[in-house]
Amino acid sequence: MSIPSDVSATVRGLQSIFQEQEMTENVHDSEGHGYLATFVGKNGRFAILRMHSHGLVTFDLQCLEGDDVVQVDNLLNALEKKLKALLDGNIQRIKRLPALIRGSDVDRYWPTADGRLMEYDIDEVVYEKDSAYQNIKILHSRQFGNMLILNGDVNLAESDLPYTQAIMGSGKEHYAGKEVLILGGGDGGILHEAVKLKPKMITMLVIDGCRKHMRKTCGNVLDNLKGDCYEILVQDCVPVLKKFAEQGRMFDYVINDLTAVPISTAPEEDSTWEFLRLILDLSIRVLRPGGKYFTQGNCVNLTDALSEYEKLLCRLSCKVDFSKEVVCVPSYMELWVFYTIWKK
């Protein structure tokens, strides 16, 4: 294997550090793409050192739980110091990333809607169960409180009042004396906030609810299926919406908290887009003249998906207009789009 002279000199300069750590080197054939070696230590450490021909140097170190953190830090410090000395004047940037913890009892890593990996300060699995419809997890975050995660997606945390306020119109609407329909919202946050506004009646359609472990979000509204101004129907919303439309039952506000806009416009997501269109059409049919339909969109970075949703609004059976608002939802760690829709 041929290694460029500058790479070869750098490798020789680093070898003493690995020898001091009693790590055995195994050089691999990179087929002309620089230098590639793995190092194995007696304490279970495993490292990969790669020097690309175009100048990028990467070093990945895997350690077992219980390894001496001070020793590991000293190794990384020694490597960084040596690289700076060997490549003096030729380094544009050195970046050391935090360690990823794999195989932990508590999963701390969850992706954002636009594909970035976030590490949460999760310290406890509060609840986990597969319902008839979805996988339900409630994890505790030191910053955000209990977090509801459905099918691997961060849904809502106890810190996320801005989400609930945004999907209800951000305090600009007058719910007093009005009839409200909530689709989904099994965390109870929308219902909890809506009952404070003294509506005439709230009807909520939900398939799963979490009244025990999200008390800061739902209060006590999920303790009973009926209250002074609300009724919770544990049913699939589609047949109920169709029945309401046939009966001529109308609402001043429809709040759809069932699902976000799909992140993809690929054909495999067609069924989800069709579901969104169906819910929109049925909801607009039960919306009184002058009424409003509220829903979430998705991450502000998903411009293609949001654009597709706005095109969908132009293809409904009834002509509608819409506005949108961008809100920072704390536990999402990204900006989120919310829509207000009304009949023309």
Side-chain angles (χ1 to χ4, degrees):
M1 178 175 66
S2 175
I3 302 175
S5 59
D6 55 341
V7 172
S8 181
T10 303
V11 170
R12 288 196 304 272
L14 294 177
Q15 283 174 336
S16 62
I17 295 175
F18 297 113
Q19 290 168 358
E20 290 171 5
Q21 295 288 329
E22 299 184 15
M23 299 183 78
T24 303
E25 179 186 30
N26 185 15
V27 180
H28 303 270
D29 186 359
S30 65
E31 298 182 355
H33 296 286
Y35 169 84
L36 173 64
T38 53
F39 300 84
V40 179
K42 293 180 180 179
N43 51 7
R45 292 178 194 159
F46 177 76
I48 303 171
L49 175 64
R50 182 151 201 175
M51 298 185 179
H52 297 263
S53 302
H54 64 273
L56 176 66
V57 178
T58 60
F59 180 74
D60 299 297
L61 178 62
Q62 297 180 15
C63 303
L64 299 177
E65 186 178 10
D67 201 346
D68 190 319
V69 177
V70 174
Q71 282 188 10
V72 170
D73 203 42
N74 288 340
L75 168 60
L76 295 174
N77 288 336
L79 273 171
E80 187 172 322
K81 183 178 180 181
K82 194 70 171 179
L83 278 169
K84 287 180 178 178
L86 292 168
L87 302 174
D88 182 37
N90 294 314
I91 296 178
Q92 293 183 356
R93 181 175 68 248
I94 291 182
K95 180 74 172 181
R96 188 188 300 186
L97 301 176
L100 293 175
I101 302 173
R102 298 178 177 178
S104 168
D105 291 338
V106 178
D107 190 354
R108 303 175 63 170
Y109 303 99
W110 298 93
T112 59
D114 59 353
R116 292 171 290 117
L117 184 64
M118 311 301 291
E119 179 177 1
Y120 287 84
D121 55 351
I122 293 169
D123 56 11
E124 181 185 359
V125 178
V126 178
Y127 177 87
E128 182 170 7
K129 183 180 180 180
D130 287 315
S131 76
Y133 305 97
Q134 56 199 343
N135 174 261
I136 304 168
K137 290 185 180 72
I138 298 177
L139 308 178
H140 180 263
S141 157
R142 293 195 297 274
Q143 284 187 90
F144 305 123
N146 284 352
M147 295 172 54
L148 174 64
I149 297 177
L150 301 177
N151 291 336
D153 290 328
V154 176
N155 205 256
L156 195 83
E158 291 177 320
S159 62
D160 294 345
L161 182 60
Y163 175 101
T164 304
Q165 292 172 331
I167 205 169
M168 293 177 62
S170 296
K172 302 170 187 174
E173 303 299 322
H174 301 286
Y175 284 84
K178 302 294 177 63
E179 292 195 67
V180 183
L181 176 62
I182 302 173
L183 308 177
D187 52 77
I190 297 171
L191 181 60
H192 179 57
E193 295 302 315
V195 296
K196 300 175 185 177
L197 304 177
K198 304 186 184 306
K200 179 180 178 181
M201 187 63 185
I202 302 170
T203 303
M204 179 173 170
L205 303 177
V206 68
I207 54 173
D208 285 316
C210 46
R211 65 183 182 183
K212 183 177 179 181
H213 300 295
M214 298 285 289
R215 300 297 282 193
K216 291 181 181 178
T217 297
C218 68
N220 63 1
V221 294
L222 297 181
D223 290 351
N224 299 290
L225 294 179
K226 287 187 177 182
D228 292 338
C229 65
Y230 69 88
E231 180 179 15
I232 302 171
L233 303 178
V234 185
Q235 298 180 42
D236 181 351
C237 70
V238 172
V240 178
L241 277 171
K242 289 179 178 179
K243 183 177 72 173
F244 285 169
E246 291 169 0
Q247 294 173 342
R249 186 170 176 186
M250 305 293 278
F251 298 89
D252 299 290
Y253 294 104
V254 177
I255 304 172
N256 176 6
D257 194 30
L258 292 169
T259 184
V261 169
I263 64 174
S264 172
T265 57
E268 54 265 29
E269 292 287 357
D270 282 352
S271 60
T272 307
W273 284 102
E274 181 58 27
F275 175 73
L276 281 180
R277 188 204 60 76
L278 175 62
I279 295 299
L280 271 164
D281 261 331
L282 289 171
S283 297
I284 296 300
R285 286 176 62 188
V286 300
L287 196 62
R288 282 197 176 98
K292 292 182 179 178
Y293 172 94
F294 298 113
T295 191
Q296 62 170 312
N298 211 309
C299 167
V300 72
N301 286 343
L302 297 178
T303 53
D304 288 346
L306 294 171
S307 177
E308 184 64 28
Y309 182 74
E310 291 168 18
K311 292 176 184 175
L312 176 63
L313 296 178
C314 298
R315 300 196 299 267
L316 298 178
S317 58
C318 174
K319 290 185 179 295
V320 300
D321 209 342
F322 69 92
S323 64
K324 55 186 174 181
E325 178 183 15
V326 177
V327 173
C328 181
V329 180
S331 76
Y332 290 12
M333 294 195 264
E334 55 189 332
L335 297 177
W336 210 250
V337 178
F338 293 85
Y339 286 95
T340 302
I341 300 165
W342 60 92
K343 295 178 183 178
K344 284 188 177 180

